[in-house]
Amino acid sequence: MSKICYISGKTANNGYQISHSNVKTKKIQNVNLHTKKIWSVKKGCWIKIKVSSKVIKSLHKIKL
């Protein structure tokens, strides 16, 4: 299962976890994804897609 937002295309980000002694270890910051059932105006039916939280806030502006 891929961790990619269907609408915005957001993917995971690489970063460092820094300890108190300043030791750096690599970590992955994943996208905050949710599976949502959305009404598609073009298709005229419900579709299930994985979208990020930021996209959910602006979904009413987008015509699928």
Side-chain angles (χ1 to χ4, degrees):
M1 185 161 57
S2 62
K3 296 180 180 178
I4 300 172
C5 179
Y6 181 78
I7 295 174
S8 66
K10 284 187 173 190
T11 58
N13 183 32
N14 294 326
Y16 286 107
Q17 182 173 351
I18 302 174
S19 69
H20 182 68
S21 62
N22 207 23
V23 174
K24 295 170 185 75
T25 55
K26 289 197 173 186
K27 70 173 183 176
I28 294 177
Q29 296 171 335
N30 288 316
V31 183
N32 191 6
L33 290 178
H34 303 278
T35 304
K36 297 297 281 185
K37 211 164 97 172
I38 299 168
W39 179 257
S40 176
V41 177
K42 292 180 182 174
K43 295 181 180 179
C45 63
W46 291 97
I47 54 172
K48 264 185 161 180
I49 56 173
K50 287 195 296 184
V51 291
S52 64
S53 295
K54 192 169 185 177
V55 171
I56 291 173
K57 292 175 186 176
S58 61
L59 254 180
H60 65 280
K61 299 176 186 175
I62 301 170
K63 302 288 187 211
L64 293 176

